Amino acid sequence: MSKPQPLSGFPELLPRHRIVEQQVVDHLRHAFELHGFANVQTRSVEPMDQLLRKGETSKEVYVLRRLQADDANSDAGLGLHFDLTVPFARYVLENSGKLQFPFRRYQIQPCWRGERPQDGRYREFWQADIDIVDRDTLPAHYEIEIPLVMADALRGLPLPGITIHVNNRKLSQGFYEGLGIGDPEETLRIVDKLDKIGEEAVVRELQEKVGASLDQAEKCLALAKISSTDTSFADEVRALGVKGDVLEEGLEALTELVEVANKRAPGLVRADMSIARGLDYYTGTVYETFIDGQRDLGSICSGGRYDTLASDGKTSYPGVGISLGVSRLLVPMLRAGRLDASREVPTCVLVALSDEESRWEASDVAAKLRERGIAAQVAPAAQKYGKQIKFADKRGIPFVLFPATEEGGPEVRDIRSGEQEPVDLDSWTPPAADLKPGIVAAE
Amino acid sequence: MSKPQPLSGFPELLPRHRIVEQQVVDHLRHAFELHGFANVQTRSVEPMDQLLRKGETSKEVYVLRRLQADDANSDAGLGLHFDLTVPFARYVLENSGKLQFPFRRYQIQPCWRGERPQDGRYREFWQADIDIVDRDTLPAHYEIEIPLVMADALRGLPLPGITIHVNNRKLSQGFYEGLGIGDPEETLRIVDKLDKIGEEAVVRELQEKVGASLDQAEKCLALAKISSTDTSFADEVRALGVKGDVLEEGLEALTELVEVANKRAPGLVRADMSIARGLDYYTGTVYETFIDGQRDLGSICSGGRYDTLASDGKTSYPGVGISLGVSRLLVPMLRAGRLDASREVPTCVLVALSDEESRWEASDVAAKLRERGIAAQVAPAAQKYGKQIKFADKRGIPFVLFPATEEGGPEVRDIRSGEQEPVDLDSWTPPAADLKPGIVAAE
């Protein structure tokens, strides 16, 4: 077998980069749990009819087939999920009798899309989602809480600054309806492409595809250009002269969100009427998150409120959620060297080996350290001590421990300073910063 | 959409069971890291030629196809991995220039096999693997270390007792060669089926498929029936009168393993000549692990030494590893109610709400608790306090905190005892056992 090549769109990390990813995910997980979110893990596959039910994602789905199946389509009923929202909605319906509502859950898993890999988009990528789902009705305060929880979870991580851009479907759709536009949903999808296709094309498509007049199309564009970090957006929207109950509901909801967020997390949110979200299922607040100064990279954390995604006909389970693109955020930073781990192994102490016969005694020494939570491994071979120290050095293992010999008791060496001193195996503890590898952020 | 039904072979857990699974996985992860194993996460897909390269697994692979691909086979070059060993071997080759050898890694991910779901076998299942891979040569002491690490990782978990059954390919193959049997690998595969097809069928197949004489076939069977928890197996094997250098090498290696393991983890291993492992790539020690008294459930933790799995023609990377079937072990125990979580949410404290207007003040109280690592959430609505306490009770949240009102300072109530007392928000800490949900094992 010749040397394998990476598969485009399926990023894999070296061990030291994986340490960073793992610590970021652990940090998120801990934060979500502090906020009372329970973890759920759904299977990787869904029936194809589920996957194709909503939104414009059908082209991206990976269909499964068993290699030995009788014909090429015999197993084509299953595909890999392309997000964590659709599987979660299905999970809620399937287990509705066994879950307590409102149900707060987080989910951190890979998703798959058969897209052309480009622009930080991957064919396999990890997402971290939080959602709150209730039965029949969902209080609006969860639409405010969700972005605050995500921001809280990201706090303390060495990541670039972000702003969560918020809008409300009621505001946009109410505005289009107030304007007299016939197909508000298609209008949303066209406005959603503003960043990609530009203003002129949006105005043209609105005229061609939803039959808007030039004046209507320009008002839609004018709405999309309104944006503020305070609540002044509402007056700007009203100044466009469109009226309607749904629009007013949207304005009030978004105003409250901005007010609360500005008190609790100043600088976190921006009301931004260009945020539309392509997916059909959103019905209230919608979120997209941009790294400050890098909106061209696209949203790294998106979501919104959905009222009808999970419904069995009798009961509906409205929800609101937000999804962090873990791979999308981290992989480019890791590849650019902007994040790294302080060492590439969990090992804190290498137990040196004087001769091969003493391997299992050295192993007892390592076990003693592990009992007190200190990661330790025994040297692979009884080479010269200089070589064993080099072994530790290459991996960033900070300490080498020399077990007791006939000449004297055990000693521990900090291989960075070269300082070596006698050690009591039952009490010695490394400095807290050395116990586990940490994340190092480049300037 | 009507109520969805579970997919056979794709187990999913309720939140409280997921807590158990997550804590077991965290426990394993922590233990592997204490032993200096670095985590690796490989992509879910491998090129089909990789997946079909070794062993008898081709029939089980799930092939991927993009739904919108031009023809049914255009993307058929990729399949979902069926274990974590093949992807790891590919990862080692692909990144050989960037890894430090010997390389100790653990990997905890789902695998997929399109088998008929039955007998505790799933189509999607989680495995936890540890492997040590070196360049060119791999010292034999790692074959002893690997099962000891896995046993150490399982220690402290509320799981049934296990025994790791060990054999050595050199012993079996050397024995068959010494006997004069022409196809030792096919012989191994036939002997591997002993549990499934029985003694008679093994003897018959050995005669029919590898041309063994009745005497040779019966000697193979006699070998497979040798088993001991001490090193007495070696004399029993030698008593069968077969000789050869490879056989002797295998006997010595297995004897050393049993000796060391019996000192370091008494009762853990059993030398068992019936352990053959179906896969082609093993070349030294092999492991299978049975729950005590339940060998019929099959092995929950298997592996072995492989010398040629990862080789680019110039350099080879011999390794040894063992793979714990996390789903296979846990899902039946969870479904049988033998393991459970002490509550179904991470929340330790529910902050009660006197009226909807005070939601964000209550939220400040929750934030204060979270700063000190106490998981807290605010009640979903300002219902009567009795209802809010019931909300906590239904989820197993142990404490309800009533924020300060005009009448008095904040109070905390242990809803199990009903005791309620004034609380200092800056210092109150729940008992350690209540801070997070724990695993509860049924008698």
Side-chain angles (χ1 to χ4, degrees):
Chain A
M1 173 182 174
S2 56
K3 193 178 170 75
Q5 294 304 311
L7 269 181
S8 177
F10 293 89
E12 283 184 332
L13 303 177
L14 288 171
R16 58 186 312 128
H17 289 166
R18 172 60 185 154
I19 286 174
V20 176
E21 185 183 60
Q22 214 171 8
Q23 293 201 358
V24 169
V25 167
D26 284 346
H27 179 102
L28 294 172
R29 206 183 123 180
H30 181 63
F32 297 154
E33 290 180 357
L34 282 178
H35 282 271
F37 287 76
N39 186 239
V40 156
Q41 203 158 253
T42 57
R43 62 193 188 219
S44 303
V45 303
E46 295 295 329
M48 286 303 293
D49 57 353
Q50 280 297 304
L51 293 174
L52 304 183
R53 202 160 58 95
K54 292 267 182 183
E56 295 185 278
T57 45
S58 62
K59 63 180 181 299
E60 303 163 351
V61 174
Y62 275 115
V63 189
L64 296 191
R65 172 174 70 81
R66 278 185 299 127
L67 186 60
Q68 303 295 315
D70 297 340
D71 67 279
N73 289 311
S74 71
D75 239 17
L78 297 179
L80 295 173
H81 58 228
F82 55 80
D83 72 2
L84 302 177
T85 309
V86 170
F88 175 58
R90 188 266 313 152
Y91 177 93
V92 165
L93 280 185
E94 187 175 317
N95 298 293
S96 59
K98 297 168 191 154
L99 300 174
Q100 301 288 344
F101 295 97
F103 178 45
R104 304 158 77 86
R105 87 85 177 77
Y106 75 93
Q107 200 168 338
I108 304 178
Q109 286 182 237
C111 302
W112 296 268
R113 296 187 191 184
E115 298 184 273
R116 186 181 296 273
Q118 59 183 355
D119 310 328
R121 293 191 180 272
Y122 305 111
R123 293 188 152 190
E124 178 174 62
F125 52 95
W126 284 73
Q127 286 192 183
D129 282 31
I130 49 172
D131 286 81
I132 302 171
V133 163
D134 210 340
R135 188 157 36 204
D136 300 324
T137 56
L138 179 81
H141 59 75
Y142 291 130
E143 292 171 70
I144 303 177
E145 183 182 359
I146 280 284
L148 292 172
V149 173
M150 185 57 86
D152 196 35
L154 289 166
R155 202 171 297 150
L157 290 172
L159 301 173
I162 54 153
T163 305
I164 302 183
H165 292 236
V166 290
N167 192 9
N168 194 303
R169 273 285 168 96
K170 288 179 184 167
L171 193 163
S172 308
Q173 292 195 234
F175 185 90
Y176 304 146
E177 281 161 18
L179 257 184
I181 285 183
D183 189 344
E185 294 196 351
E186 182 60 22
T187 305
L188 265 180
R189 273 193 291 271
I190 295 168
V191 172
D192 189 44
K193 296 192 284 184
L194 183 57
D195 278 356
K196 276 186 209 153
I197 64 176
E199 298 185 5
E200 259 180 74
V202 163
V203 169
R204 194 175 55 240
E205 284 202 12
L206 286 172
Q207 293 172 273
E208 288 168 4
K209 293 194 178 164
V210 298
S213 68
L214 179 61
D215 179 60
Q216 286 174 323
E218 282 177 343
K219 281 241 165 102
C220 291
L221 184 63
L223 178 72
K225 289 163 86 171
I226 294 173
S227 151
S228 69
T229 54
D230 57 21
T231 58
S232 63
F233 71 89
D235 289 340
E236 289 186 61
V237 174
R238 290 186 183 110
L240 293 176
V242 177
K243 286 194 190 334
D245 291 347
V246 178
L247 168 60
E248 202 52 41
E249 250 182 75
L251 281 169
E252 279 166 26
L254 197 59
T255 298
E256 195 191 347
L257 190 164
V258 171
E259 276 172 358
V260 174
N262 278 347
K263 258 186 234 149
R264 305 184 67 77
L268 175 67
V269 307
R270 167 179 283 273
D272 178 347
M273 313 303 101
S274 75
I275 301 303
R277 309 284 304 133
L279 292 170
D280 280 349
Y281 50 69
Y282 293 113
T283 49
T285 312
V286 286
Y287 320 102
E288 292 202 351
T289 306
F290 303 106
I291 296 176
D292 293 343
Q294 298 185 62
R295 182 158 178 160
D296 53 314
L297 289 185
S299 171
I300 52 128
C301 189
S302 312
R305 177 186 176 121
Y306 44 89
D307 281 322
T308 54
L309 187 60
S311 169
D312 59 12
K314 280 174 292 187
T315 312
S316 72
Y317 299 86
V320 55
I322 196 164
S323 170
L324 177 71
V326 174
S327 302
R328 191 156 189 195
L329 180 64
L330 290 184
V331 173
M333 291 183 73
L334 291 166
R335 288 187 173 163
R338 293 180 51 204
L339 291 178
D340 199 2
S342 59
R343 59 182 190 253
E344 66 181 67
V345 291
T347 315
C348 177
V349 176
L350 179 76
V351 179
L353 204 57
S354 57
D355 49 58
E356 197 53 44
E357 289 64 46
S358 64
R359 169 164 302 281
W360 302 111
E361 285 81 36
S363 200
D364 287 334
V365 170
K368 215 165 208 177
L369 294 172
R370 284 194 289 265
E371 266 170 35
R372 293 190 292 111
I374 303 165
Q377 67 183 80
V378 177
Q383 294 172 302
K384 286 188 181 154
Y385 282 158
K387 281 205 170 179
Q388 298 189 44
I389 292 169
K390 202 172 164 196
F391 174 96
D393 190 35
K394 269 188 178 174
R395 290 155 179 79
I397 300 171
F399 298 98
V400 175
L401 194 146
F402 302 92
T405 59
E406 285 173 15
E407 287 90 58
E411 297 199 342
V412 69
R413 181 190 186 94
D414 182 329
I415 68 162
R416 296 157 300 187
S417 65
E419 274 177 51
Q420 186 167 327
E421 46 185 24
V423 64
D424 175 8
L425 291 177
D426 294 316
S427 68
W428 177 80
T429 305
D434 289 334
L435 190 61
K436 293 178 178 189
I439 301 179
V440 182
E443 293 305 297
Chain B
M1 173 185 175
S2 57
K3 195 177 168 76
Q5 295 303 312
L7 269 181
S8 176
F10 293 89
E12 283 185 331
L13 303 177
L14 287 171
R16 59 184 314 127
H17 289 166
R18 171 60 184 154
I19 286 173
V20 176
E21 185 183 61
Q22 214 171 10
Q23 293 199 359
V24 169
V25 167
D26 284 346
H27 179 103
L28 294 172
R29 205 183 124 181
H30 181 63
F32 296 154
E33 291 180 357
L34 281 178
H35 283 271
F37 288 76
N39 185 240
V40 156
Q41 201 158 253
T42 57
R43 63 193 187 220
S44 303
V45 302
E46 295 296 328
M48 287 302 293
D49 57 353
Q50 279 297 303
L51 294 174
L52 305 182
R53 204 158 59 95
K54 291 268 182 181
E56 293 185 281
T57 46
S58 62
K59 62 179 180 301
E60 304 163 350
V61 174
Y62 276 116
V63 188
L64 296 190
R65 171 174 69 82
R66 278 184 299 129
L67 185 60
Q68 302 293 316
D70 298 340
D71 68 280
N73 288 311
S74 73
D75 239 18
L78 297 179
L80 295 173
H81 58 229
F82 55 81
D83 73 0
L84 301 178
T85 309
V86 170
F88 174 59
R90 188 265 314 154
Y91 177 94
V92 165
L93 280 185
E94 188 176 316
N95 298 292
S96 58
K98 297 168 191 153
L99 301 173
Q100 301 287 345
F101 295 96
F103 178 46
R104 303 159 78 85
R105 86 86 177 78
Y106 74 94
Q107 198 169 339
I108 305 176
Q109 287 181 235
C111 302
W112 295 267
R113 295 186 191 185
E115 296 184 274
R116 187 181 296 272
Q118 59 183 355
D119 311 328
R121 293 191 181 270
Y122 305 111
R123 293 188 154 191
E124 177 175 63
F125 53 93
W126 284 73
Q127 285 192 186
D129 281 33
I130 50 173
D131 286 82
I132 301 172
V133 163
D134 209 341
R135 188 157 36 203
D136 301 323
T137 56
L138 178 81
H141 59 76
Y142 292 129
E143 293 171 70
I144 304 177
E145 183 181 0
I146 280 285
L148 292 171
V149 173
M150 185 58 86
D152 196 35
L154 288 167
R155 201 170 299 149
L157 289 172
L159 301 174
I162 55 155
T163 304
I164 302 182
H165 292 235
V166 290
N167 191 7
N168 194 303
R169 273 283 167 96
K170 288 180 183 166
L171 192 162
S172 308
Q173 293 196 236
F175 184 91
Y176 304 146
E177 281 161 15
L179 258 184
I181 285 183
D183 189 345
E185 295 196 350
E186 182 61 23
T187 305
L188 265 180
R189 273 191 293 272
I190 295 168
V191 172
D192 188 43
K193 296 192 283 184
L194 181 57
D195 278 356
K196 278 188 210 152
I197 64 177
E199 297 185 5
E200 257 180 76
V202 164
V203 170
R204 193 174 57 242
E205 284 203 13
L206 286 172
Q207 293 171 274
E208 288 168 6
K209 293 194 179 168
V210 299
S213 68
L214 179 62
D215 179 61
Q216 286 173 324
E218 282 176 343
K219 281 241 165 103
C220 291
L221 183 64
L223 177 73
K225 290 165 86 169
I226 294 173
S227 153
S228 70
T229 54
D230 57 20
T231 57
S232 63
F233 70 91
D235 288 340
E236 289 186 61
V237 174
R238 289 186 184 107
L240 293 176
V242 177
K243 285 197 191 331
D245 292 346
V246 178
L247 167 60
E248 202 52 41
E249 250 181 77
L251 282 168
E252 279 166 26
L254 197 59
T255 299
E256 195 190 347
L257 191 166
V258 171
E259 276 172 356
V260 174
N262 279 346
K263 257 186 234 152
R264 306 185 66 77
L268 175 67
V269 306
R270 166 178 283 274
D272 178 348
M273 314 301 104
S274 75
I275 301 302
R277 308 285 302 131
L279 291 169
D280 280 348
Y281 51 68
Y282 294 112
T283 49
T285 312
V286 287
Y287 320 103
E288 293 200 353
T289 306
F290 302 105
I291 297 176
D292 293 344
Q294 298 184 59
R295 180 159 179 159
D296 53 315
L297 290 185
S299 172
I300 53 127
C301 190
S302 312
R305 177 185 176 122
Y306 44 89
D307 281 322
T308 54
L309 188 60
S311 169
D312 59 13
K314 280 175 294 188
T315 312
S316 73
Y317 299 87
V320 57
I322 196 165
S323 171
L324 176 71
V326 174
S327 303
R328 188 154 194 195
L329 181 63
L330 290 184
V331 172
M333 292 184 73
L334 291 166
R335 288 190 172 160
R338 293 182 51 206
L339 290 178
D340 199 2
S342 59
R343 59 181 189 255
E344 67 181 65
V345 291
T347 315
C348 177
V349 177
L350 179 75
V351 179
L353 204 56
S354 56
D355 49 56
E356 197 53 44
E357 288 64 46
S358 63
R359 169 165 302 279
W360 303 111
E361 285 81 39
S363 199
D364 287 334
V365 170
K368 213 164 208 175
L369 294 172
R370 284 194 289 264
E371 268 170 35
R372 293 190 292 109
I374 303 165
Q377 67 184 80
V378 177
Q383 296 173 300
K384 286 187 181 154
Y385 280 159
K387 282 205 169 177
Q388 298 189 43
I389 291 169
K390 201 171 166 198
F391 174 97
D393 191 34
K394 270 188 178 174
R395 289 157 180 79
I397 300 172
F399 298 98
V400 175
L401 194 145
F402 301 92
T405 59
E406 285 172 14
E407 288 90 57
E411 298 198 341
V412 69
R413 181 190 186 93
D414 182 328
I415 67 164
R416 295 157 302 188
S417 65
E419 275 177 51
Q420 187 167 326
E421 46 185 22
V423 65
D424 173 9
L425 292 177
D426 295 315
S427 67
W428 178 79
T429 305
D434 289 333
L435 190 61
K436 294 177 180 191
I439 301 179
V440 182
E443 292 306 295

